[in-house]
Amino acid sequence: MDETARRPTALLVMEEERRPDVYPPEVLADIDRLVIRQAPPLTRQQLADHLDLLHGTEILLTGWGAPVLDAAFLAQAPRLRAVLVAAGSVRHLTTPAFWQRGIPIVSAAAANAVPVAEFTLAQVLLGLKQVHRIGRDVAVSHRFPHNPKVPGAYRSRVGLMGLGHIGRLVAAHLRRFDIEILATDPIARPDAAQELGVRLVDIEELFAACHVVSLHAPLLPETRGAVGAPLLNSLMPGATLINTARGALIDEGALAEVLHARPDLTAVLDVTHPEPPAPESPLFTLPNAVLTPHLGGALGLERHRLGHLVRDELERFLRDQPLRHAVDPAHAASLA
């Protein structure tokens, strides 16, 4: 960017708790060389008391706790030229009024996908060794099993439900192993799946044929509760189900019943619905349900990636270069 060019005005609005991680000092310093921030960082609630700041805002920088970009918001921001979101999904903040304005919006979903895919890879490998199941058996029997039968990471099958940012990255990680990767995704192109080394199958085959099944689908009306009793009952003996996507993809009542009836199965649930589960939920006490509180998502220093992505996209935007992480309006409704 030409140092003599006029710097556009910008506003940073997001929740306070995660902001220092998402926008660390070095990222803010770089941003301040590119734009003129009109005020200190604000939360969505604080912005509601200072809407006049939007009148001159050209760039909105945000993240978790972003304001909803509805008609009322946009009426206050007539000069808005771009929105850069240091978080994953933008479905909850975009509206028809926003898309009608033709304003580009950047999502840091690709950066947010990295730790989720790493967490998933770890759980897949643990699942193929059946670490959780064998650990349960050892705790109960106080004995080590002799020559335990596990699939391992050689010619075993791993199934991915969804080939979005995270699903594709998980597939790329798994290609380093001697594993057959299956996937189901209604919008995945066969040629793109082939490039990933993935074989596309229907969801019934995915659940019945894989030693580990990992969920990476968006939560849409057609996917809500899609993983119900028939699919869960079809899992092969000793299978592991991993969910790092959305809790509501699974019929958790059916899951609890299947896990109770089949102690050979393991469900690793990094997300639930609701979150956390109700206090009386059997998921807390079922020994083959492993609950973790969004450990797969970006935490601590991992969140720096999101701010770095936004900073880089901001520089591209100001240089009139193509954005690498702009959300395509045509596909926005199908994103997580």
Side-chain angles (χ1 to χ4, degrees):
M1 180 179 172
D2 185 353
E3 294 292 335
T4 64
R6 183 188 72 83
R7 289 184 295 161
T9 55
L11 199 59
L12 172 55
V13 182
M14 71 169 289
E15 68 174 44
E16 189 171 2
E17 182 179 11
R18 288 181 277 193
R19 190 178 65 220
D21 287 339
V22 174
Y23 290 98
E26 69 272 17
V27 168
L28 285 180
D30 289 343
I31 287 173
D32 286 340
R33 284 192 284 270
L34 298 170
V35 299
I36 298 172
R37 283 196 287 146
Q38 296 176 278
L42 302 173
T43 65
R44 182 170 55 197
Q45 293 74 22
Q46 290 168 335
L47 177 63
D49 297 327
H50 300 281
L51 289 177
D52 57 298
L53 291 171
L54 289 174
H55 297 171
T57 297
E58 297 172 78
I59 311 290
L60 176 64
L61 304 167
T62 185
W64 286 288
V68 176
L69 305 172
D70 57 15
F73 179 96
L74 295 168
Q76 300 287 336
R79 298 179 60 193
L80 189 63
R81 297 168 49 202
V83 178
L84 296 96
V85 185
S89 176
V90 300
R91 287 181 62 203
H92 63 289
L93 60 102
T94 52
T95 65
F98 172 78
W99 295 118
Q100 288 171 9
R101 280 274 298 267
I103 299 169
I105 183 168
V106 163
S107 164
N112 198 46
V114 173
V116 183
E118 292 169 346
F119 178 89
T120 300
L121 173 63
Q123 294 299 334
V124 167
L125 296 176
L126 291 174
L128 291 174
K129 285 288 190 178
Q130 298 196 0
V131 168
H132 295 300
R133 178 185 66 80
I134 293 173
R136 294 192 299 270
D137 293 345
V138 168
V140 171
S141 68
H142 293 196
R143 297 174 58 189
F144 284 0
H146 173 68
N147 191 27
K149 303 299 183 184
V150 301
Y154 181 69
R155 295 188 177 178
S156 48
R157 290 181 301 279
V158 175
L160 306 177
M161 180 181 168
L163 285 175
H165 284 296
I166 297 170
R168 292 195 302 271
L169 192 50
V170 172
H173 287 324
L174 291 174
R175 287 186 68 178
R176 294 180 288 157
F177 302 90
D178 291 316
I179 291 171
E180 183 181 5
I181 311 167
L182 279 57
T184 184
D185 188 315
I187 64 173
R189 301 194 324 273
D191 59 329
Q194 186 174 10
E195 289 179 9
L196 284 169
V198 171
R199 178 163 66 90
L200 291 176
V201 298
D202 60 35
I203 194 169
E204 288 78 15
E205 181 176 353
L206 189 85
F207 274 75
C210 291
H211 300 95
V212 176
V213 175
S214 188
L215 308 186
H216 303 289
L219 181 59
L220 304 170
E222 57 269 29
T223 60
R224 182 178 293 273
V227 181
L231 292 176
L232 295 167
N233 278 312
S234 74
L235 287 166
M236 64 170 54
T240 297
L241 175 68
I242 302 167
N243 191 7
T244 58
R246 294 289 186 267
L249 293 173
I250 300 176
D251 178 344
E252 290 182 351
L255 176 63
E257 292 180 4
V258 172
L259 291 178
H260 179 74
R262 293 189 55 186
D264 61 295
L265 299 179
T266 300
V268 178
L269 307 175
D270 197 43
V271 290
T272 58
H273 181 72
E275 292 184 345
E280 66 277 7
S281 171
L283 295 177
F284 283 119
T285 53
L286 281 163
N288 49 347
V290 180
L291 299 181
T292 55
H294 275 296
L295 294 183
L299 298 173
L301 294 177
E302 293 172 328
R303 293 174 180 157
H304 286 23
R305 280 195 188 98
L306 284 70
H308 282 270
L309 182 150
V310 161
R311 177 205 60 197
D312 294 346
E313 287 285 79
L314 174 62
E315 186 164 11
R316 289 187 196 99
F317 178 76
L318 297 179
R319 291 180 180 274
D320 291 323
Q321 296 174 346
L323 296 172
R324 296 178 182 172
H325 301 282
V327 177
D328 182 353
H331 298 145
S334 64
L335 298 177

PDB file of all heavy atoms in Angstrom, residues 11 24 36 54 65 69 82-83 94-95 117 121-122 129 156 160 170 175 229 233-234 278-279 285 299 321 326 335:
ATOM      1  N   LEU A  11     -13.200   0.371  12.195  1.00  0.00           N
ATOM      2  CA  LEU A  11     -13.716   0.189  13.546  1.00  0.00           C
ATOM      3  C   LEU A  11     -13.572  -1.286  13.894  1.00  0.00           C
ATOM      4  O   LEU A  11     -13.889  -2.158  13.073  1.00  0.00           O
ATOM      5  CB  LEU A  11     -15.184   0.611  13.608  1.00  0.00           C
ATOM      6  CG  LEU A  11     -15.792   0.920  14.978  1.00  0.00           C
ATOM      7  CD1 LEU A  11     -15.034   2.056  15.670  1.00  0.00           C
ATOM      8  CD2 LEU A  11     -17.265   1.288  14.827  1.00  0.00           C
ATOM      9  N   PRO A  24      -3.728  -9.694  18.543  1.00  0.00           N
ATOM     10  CA  PRO A  24      -2.601  -9.396  19.431  1.00  0.00           C
ATOM     11  C   PRO A  24      -1.935  -8.079  19.041  1.00  0.00           C
ATOM     12  O   PRO A  24      -2.188  -7.536  17.958  1.00  0.00           O
ATOM     13  CB  PRO A  24      -1.674 -10.582  19.211  1.00  0.00           C
ATOM     14  CG  PRO A  24      -1.999 -11.079  17.847  1.00  0.00           C
ATOM     15  CD  PRO A  24      -3.465 -10.844  17.667  1.00  0.00           C
ATOM     16  N   ILE A  36      -7.111   4.034   9.714  1.00  0.00           N
ATOM     17  CA  ILE A  36      -7.279   4.918  10.868  1.00  0.00           C
ATOM     18  C   ILE A  36      -8.447   4.381  11.679  1.00  0.00           C
ATOM     19  O   ILE A  36      -9.602   4.406  11.226  1.00  0.00           O
ATOM     20  CB  ILE A  36      -7.560   6.361  10.436  1.00  0.00           C
ATOM     21  CG1 ILE A  36      -6.383   6.920   9.629  1.00  0.00           C
ATOM     22  CG2 ILE A  36      -7.839   7.246  11.650  1.00  0.00           C
ATOM     23  CD1 ILE A  36      -6.667   8.270   9.005  1.00  0.00           C
ATOM     24  N   LEU A  54     -20.315   4.711  13.267  1.00  0.00           N
ATOM     25  CA  LEU A  54     -20.480   3.977  12.016  1.00  0.00           C
ATOM     26  C   LEU A  54     -20.613   4.886  10.802  1.00  0.00           C
ATOM     27  O   LEU A  54     -20.370   4.457   9.682  1.00  0.00           O
ATOM     28  CB  LEU A  54     -21.720   3.075  12.090  1.00  0.00           C
ATOM     29  CG  LEU A  54     -21.628   1.852  13.005  1.00  0.00           C
ATOM     30  CD1 LEU A  54     -22.976   1.148  13.073  1.00  0.00           C
ATOM     31  CD2 LEU A  54     -20.564   0.891  12.482  1.00  0.00           C
ATOM     32  N   GLY A  65     -18.666 -12.331  18.586  1.00  0.00           N
ATOM     33  CA  GLY A  65     -19.430 -11.216  19.128  1.00  0.00           C
ATOM     34  C   GLY A  65     -19.616 -10.097  18.127  1.00  0.00           C
ATOM     35  O   GLY A  65     -19.772  -8.929  18.497  1.00  0.00           O
ATOM     36  N   LEU A  69     -25.338  -7.636  10.706  1.00  0.00           N
ATOM     37  CA  LEU A  69     -25.293  -6.678   9.597  1.00  0.00           C
ATOM     38  C   LEU A  69     -26.658  -6.603   8.927  1.00  0.00           C
ATOM     39  O   LEU A  69     -26.844  -6.980   7.770  1.00  0.00           O
ATOM     40  CB  LEU A  69     -24.209  -7.105   8.606  1.00  0.00           C
ATOM     41  CG  LEU A  69     -22.821  -7.292   9.220  1.00  0.00           C
ATOM     42  CD1 LEU A  69     -21.858  -7.910   8.219  1.00  0.00           C
ATOM     43  CD2 LEU A  69     -22.275  -5.970   9.744  1.00  0.00           C
ATOM     44  N   ALA A  82     -16.076  -2.844   3.390  1.00  0.00           N
ATOM     45  CA  ALA A  82     -15.624  -4.222   3.589  1.00  0.00           C
ATOM     46  C   ALA A  82     -15.817  -4.606   5.048  1.00  0.00           C
ATOM     47  O   ALA A  82     -15.741  -3.761   5.951  1.00  0.00           O
ATOM     48  CB  ALA A  82     -14.156  -4.390   3.202  1.00  0.00           C
ATOM     49  N   VAL A  83     -16.071  -5.906   5.264  1.00  0.00           N
ATOM     50  CA  VAL A  83     -16.197  -6.477   6.611  1.00  0.00           C
ATOM     51  C   VAL A  83     -15.222  -7.643   6.692  1.00  0.00           C
ATOM     52  O   VAL A  83     -15.235  -8.532   5.827  1.00  0.00           O
ATOM     53  CB  VAL A  83     -17.629  -6.962   6.901  1.00  0.00           C
ATOM     54  CG1 VAL A  83     -17.716  -7.597   8.289  1.00  0.00           C
ATOM     55  CG2 VAL A  83     -18.624  -5.809   6.764  1.00  0.00           C
ATOM     56  N   THR A  94     -24.745 -12.191   8.801  1.00  0.00           N
ATOM     57  CA  THR A  94     -25.137 -11.662   7.490  1.00  0.00           C
ATOM     58  C   THR A  94     -26.648 -11.788   7.298  1.00  0.00           C
ATOM     59  O   THR A  94     -27.282 -12.691   7.833  1.00  0.00           O
ATOM     60  CB  THR A  94     -24.415 -12.411   6.361  1.00  0.00           C
ATOM     61  OG1 THR A  94     -24.601 -13.819   6.521  1.00  0.00           O
ATOM     62  CG2 THR A  94     -22.927 -12.108   6.382  1.00  0.00           C
ATOM     63  N   THR A  95     -27.198 -10.864   6.534  1.00  0.00           N
ATOM     64  CA  THR A  95     -28.637 -10.809   6.270  1.00  0.00           C
ATOM     65  C   THR A  95     -28.844 -10.513   4.782  1.00  0.00           C
ATOM     66  O   THR A  95     -27.908 -10.091   4.092  1.00  0.00           O
ATOM     67  CB  THR A  95     -29.303  -9.690   7.095  1.00  0.00           C
ATOM     68  OG1 THR A  95     -28.783  -8.419   6.640  1.00  0.00           O
ATOM     69  CG2 THR A  95     -29.029  -9.848   8.590  1.00  0.00           C
ATOM     70  N   ALA A 117      -8.890 -29.372  12.775  1.00  0.00           N
ATOM     71  CA  ALA A 117      -8.391 -30.518  12.008  1.00  0.00           C
ATOM     72  C   ALA A 117      -7.287 -31.246  12.762  1.00  0.00           C
ATOM     73  O   ALA A 117      -7.203 -32.486  12.720  1.00  0.00           O
ATOM     74  CB  ALA A 117      -7.893 -30.047  10.644  1.00  0.00           C
ATOM     75  N   LEU A 121      -7.531 -35.072  13.862  1.00  0.00           N
ATOM     76  CA  LEU A 121      -6.519 -36.058  13.494  1.00  0.00           C
ATOM     77  C   LEU A 121      -6.068 -36.852  14.716  1.00  0.00           C
ATOM     78  O   LEU A 121      -5.948 -38.084  14.660  1.00  0.00           O
ATOM     79  CB  LEU A 121      -5.318 -35.364  12.851  1.00  0.00           C
ATOM     80  CG  LEU A 121      -4.108 -36.260  12.556  1.00  0.00           C
ATOM     81  CD1 LEU A 121      -4.466 -37.338  11.538  1.00  0.00           C
ATOM     82  CD2 LEU A 121      -2.927 -35.424  12.076  1.00  0.00           C
ATOM     83  N   ALA A 122      -5.834 -36.160  15.823  1.00  0.00           N
ATOM     84  CA  ALA A 122      -5.413 -36.851  17.043  1.00  0.00           C
ATOM     85  C   ALA A 122      -6.468 -37.857  17.487  1.00  0.00           C
ATOM     86  O   ALA A 122      -6.146 -38.997  17.842  1.00  0.00           O
ATOM     87  CB  ALA A 122      -5.150 -35.833  18.152  1.00  0.00           C
ATOM     88  N   LYS A 129      -6.634 -46.878  17.156  1.00  0.00           N
ATOM     89  CA  LYS A 129      -5.985 -47.727  18.151  1.00  0.00           C
ATOM     90  C   LYS A 129      -6.955 -48.118  19.271  1.00  0.00           C
ATOM     91  O   LYS A 129      -6.585 -48.876  20.170  1.00  0.00           O
ATOM     92  CB  LYS A 129      -4.782 -46.996  18.763  1.00  0.00           C
ATOM     93  CG  LYS A 129      -3.561 -46.926  17.865  1.00  0.00           C
ATOM     94  CD  LYS A 129      -2.876 -48.279  17.745  1.00  0.00           C
ATOM     95  CE  LYS A 129      -1.530 -48.149  17.057  1.00  0.00           C
ATOM     96  NZ  LYS A 129      -0.829 -49.445  16.973  1.00  0.00           N
ATOM     97  N   SER A 156      -7.020 -49.221   7.283  1.00  0.00           N
ATOM     98  CA  SER A 156      -8.305 -49.054   7.956  1.00  0.00           C
ATOM     99  C   SER A 156      -9.082 -47.963   7.215  1.00  0.00           C
ATOM    100  O   SER A 156      -8.566 -47.323   6.288  1.00  0.00           O
ATOM    101  CB  SER A 156      -8.088 -48.694   9.427  1.00  0.00           C
ATOM    102  OG  SER A 156      -7.140 -47.644   9.542  1.00  0.00           O
ATOM    103  N   LEU A 160     -15.531 -39.241   6.663  1.00  0.00           N
ATOM    104  CA  LEU A 160     -15.732 -37.818   6.939  1.00  0.00           C
ATOM    105  C   LEU A 160     -17.112 -37.405   6.450  1.00  0.00           C
ATOM    106  O   LEU A 160     -17.413 -37.542   5.261  1.00  0.00           O
ATOM    107  CB  LEU A 160     -14.663 -36.974   6.243  1.00  0.00           C
ATOM    108  CG  LEU A 160     -13.205 -37.354   6.530  1.00  0.00           C
ATOM    109  CD1 LEU A 160     -12.264 -36.461   5.714  1.00  0.00           C
ATOM    110  CD2 LEU A 160     -12.894 -37.264   8.018  1.00  0.00           C
ATOM    111  N   VAL A 170      -8.720 -32.190   7.255  1.00  0.00           N
ATOM    112  CA  VAL A 170      -8.570 -33.502   7.893  1.00  0.00           C
ATOM    113  C   VAL A 170      -8.171 -34.543   6.849  1.00  0.00           C
ATOM    114  O   VAL A 170      -7.271 -35.365   7.075  1.00  0.00           O
ATOM    115  CB  VAL A 170      -9.876 -33.917   8.608  1.00  0.00           C
ATOM    116  CG1 VAL A 170      -9.779 -35.362   9.101  1.00  0.00           C
ATOM    117  CG2 VAL A 170     -10.172 -32.984   9.785  1.00  0.00           C
ATOM    118  N   ARG A 175      -4.040 -38.261   4.517  1.00  0.00           N
ATOM    119  CA  ARG A 175      -3.351 -38.798   3.341  1.00  0.00           C
ATOM    120  C   ARG A 175      -1.925 -39.220   3.660  1.00  0.00           C
ATOM    121  O   ARG A 175      -1.312 -39.974   2.905  1.00  0.00           O
ATOM    122  CB  ARG A 175      -3.338 -37.765   2.211  1.00  0.00           C
ATOM    123  CG  ARG A 175      -4.681 -37.576   1.542  1.00  0.00           C
ATOM    124  CD  ARG A 175      -4.586 -36.663   0.333  1.00  0.00           C
ATOM    125  NE  ARG A 175      -3.833 -37.280  -0.760  1.00  0.00           N
ATOM    126  CZ  ARG A 175      -3.637 -36.705  -1.935  1.00  0.00           C
ATOM    127  NH1 ARG A 175      -4.120 -35.487  -2.166  1.00  0.00           N
ATOM    128  NH2 ARG A 175      -2.966 -37.319  -2.888  1.00  0.00           N
ATOM    129  N   ALA A 229     -30.634 -43.002  15.179  1.00  0.00           N
ATOM    130  CA  ALA A 229     -30.479 -44.397  15.594  1.00  0.00           C
ATOM    131  C   ALA A 229     -30.064 -45.335  14.463  1.00  0.00           C
ATOM    132  O   ALA A 229     -29.174 -46.180  14.659  1.00  0.00           O
ATOM    133  CB  ALA A 229     -31.767 -44.873  16.252  1.00  0.00           C
ATOM    134  N   ASN A 233     -26.616 -47.297  14.986  1.00  0.00           N
ATOM    135  CA  ASN A 233     -26.656 -48.747  15.162  1.00  0.00           C
ATOM    136  C   ASN A 233     -25.856 -49.481  14.097  1.00  0.00           C
ATOM    137  O   ASN A 233     -25.446 -50.628  14.299  1.00  0.00           O
ATOM    138  CB  ASN A 233     -28.100 -49.241  15.153  1.00  0.00           C
ATOM    139  CG  ASN A 233     -28.765 -49.065  16.506  1.00  0.00           C
ATOM    140  OD1 ASN A 233     -28.201 -49.419  17.539  1.00  0.00           O
ATOM    141  ND2 ASN A 233     -29.969 -48.506  16.511  1.00  0.00           N
ATOM    142  N   SER A 234     -25.639 -48.811  12.953  1.00  0.00           N
ATOM    143  CA  SER A 234     -24.908 -49.475  11.864  1.00  0.00           C
ATOM    144  C   SER A 234     -23.402 -49.413  12.042  1.00  0.00           C
ATOM    145  O   SER A 234     -22.664 -50.052  11.271  1.00  0.00           O
ATOM    146  CB  SER A 234     -25.290 -48.837  10.522  1.00  0.00           C
ATOM    147  OG  SER A 234     -24.697 -47.549  10.375  1.00  0.00           O
ATOM    148  N   ALA A 278     -27.591 -30.847  29.375  1.00  0.00           N
ATOM    149  CA  ALA A 278     -28.368 -30.667  30.605  1.00  0.00           C
ATOM    150  C   ALA A 278     -27.738 -31.492  31.723  1.00  0.00           C
ATOM    151  O   ALA A 278     -27.189 -32.573  31.470  1.00  0.00           O
ATOM    152  CB  ALA A 278     -29.814 -31.092  30.374  1.00  0.00           C
ATOM    153  N   PRO A 279     -27.787 -31.004  32.969  1.00  0.00           N
ATOM    154  CA  PRO A 279     -27.115 -31.722  34.075  1.00  0.00           C
ATOM    155  C   PRO A 279     -27.512 -33.184  34.186  1.00  0.00           C
ATOM    156  O   PRO A 279     -26.701 -34.017  34.581  1.00  0.00           O
ATOM    157  CB  PRO A 279     -27.539 -30.925  35.308  1.00  0.00           C
ATOM    158  CG  PRO A 279     -27.837 -29.546  34.799  1.00  0.00           C
ATOM    159  CD  PRO A 279     -28.411 -29.742  33.418  1.00  0.00           C
ATOM    160  N   THR A 285     -22.404 -39.476  32.209  1.00  0.00           N
ATOM    161  CA  THR A 285     -22.092 -40.671  32.988  1.00  0.00           C
ATOM    162  C   THR A 285     -21.815 -41.905  32.138  1.00  0.00           C
ATOM    163  O   THR A 285     -21.295 -42.893  32.649  1.00  0.00           O
ATOM    164  CB  THR A 285     -23.251 -40.984  33.956  1.00  0.00           C
ATOM    165  OG1 THR A 285     -24.477 -41.051  33.226  1.00  0.00           O
ATOM    166  CG2 THR A 285     -23.370 -39.881  35.012  1.00  0.00           C
ATOM    167  N   LEU A 299      -7.786 -21.880  20.450  1.00  0.00           N
ATOM    168  CA  LEU A 299      -7.629 -21.450  21.831  1.00  0.00           C
ATOM    169  C   LEU A 299      -6.279 -20.763  22.004  1.00  0.00           C
ATOM    170  O   LEU A 299      -5.289 -21.159  21.384  1.00  0.00           O
ATOM    171  CB  LEU A 299      -7.704 -22.646  22.785  1.00  0.00           C
ATOM    172  CG  LEU A 299      -9.013 -23.438  22.824  1.00  0.00           C
ATOM    173  CD1 LEU A 299      -8.850 -24.690  23.686  1.00  0.00           C
ATOM    174  CD2 LEU A 299     -10.150 -22.575  23.341  1.00  0.00           C
ATOM    175  N   GLN A 321      -6.109  -6.055  -4.520  1.00  0.00           N
ATOM    176  CA  GLN A 321      -5.735  -7.402  -4.908  1.00  0.00           C
ATOM    177  C   GLN A 321      -6.879  -8.357  -4.583  1.00  0.00           C
ATOM    178  O   GLN A 321      -7.699  -8.090  -3.695  1.00  0.00           O
ATOM    179  CB  GLN A 321      -4.465  -7.841  -4.168  1.00  0.00           C
ATOM    180  CG  GLN A 321      -3.243  -7.014  -4.526  1.00  0.00           C
ATOM    181  CD  GLN A 321      -2.043  -7.371  -3.668  1.00  0.00           C
ATOM    182  OE1 GLN A 321      -2.163  -8.046  -2.643  1.00  0.00           O
ATOM    183  NE2 GLN A 321      -0.866  -6.916  -4.098  1.00  0.00           N
ATOM    184  N   ALA A 326     -12.683 -14.321   0.914  1.00  0.00           N
ATOM    185  CA  ALA A 326     -14.004 -13.696   0.830  1.00  0.00           C
ATOM    186  C   ALA A 326     -15.073 -14.772   0.724  1.00  0.00           C
ATOM    187  O   ALA A 326     -14.883 -15.801   0.062  1.00  0.00           O
ATOM    188  CB  ALA A 326     -14.075 -12.768  -0.376  1.00  0.00           C
ATOM    189  N   LEU A 335     -22.783 -22.767   4.454  1.00  0.00           N
ATOM    190  CA  LEU A 335     -21.588 -22.798   5.295  1.00  0.00           C
ATOM    191  C   LEU A 335     -21.969 -23.045   6.739  1.00  0.00           C
ATOM    192  O   LEU A 335     -23.075 -22.744   7.169  1.00  0.00           O
ATOM    193  CB  LEU A 335     -20.815 -21.473   5.168  1.00  0.00           C
ATOM    194  CG  LEU A 335     -20.298 -21.146   3.766  1.00  0.00           C
ATOM    195  CD1 LEU A 335     -19.617 -19.787   3.767  1.00  0.00           C
ATOM    196  CD2 LEU A 335     -19.324 -22.223   3.285  1.00  0.00           C
TER     197      LEU A 335
END
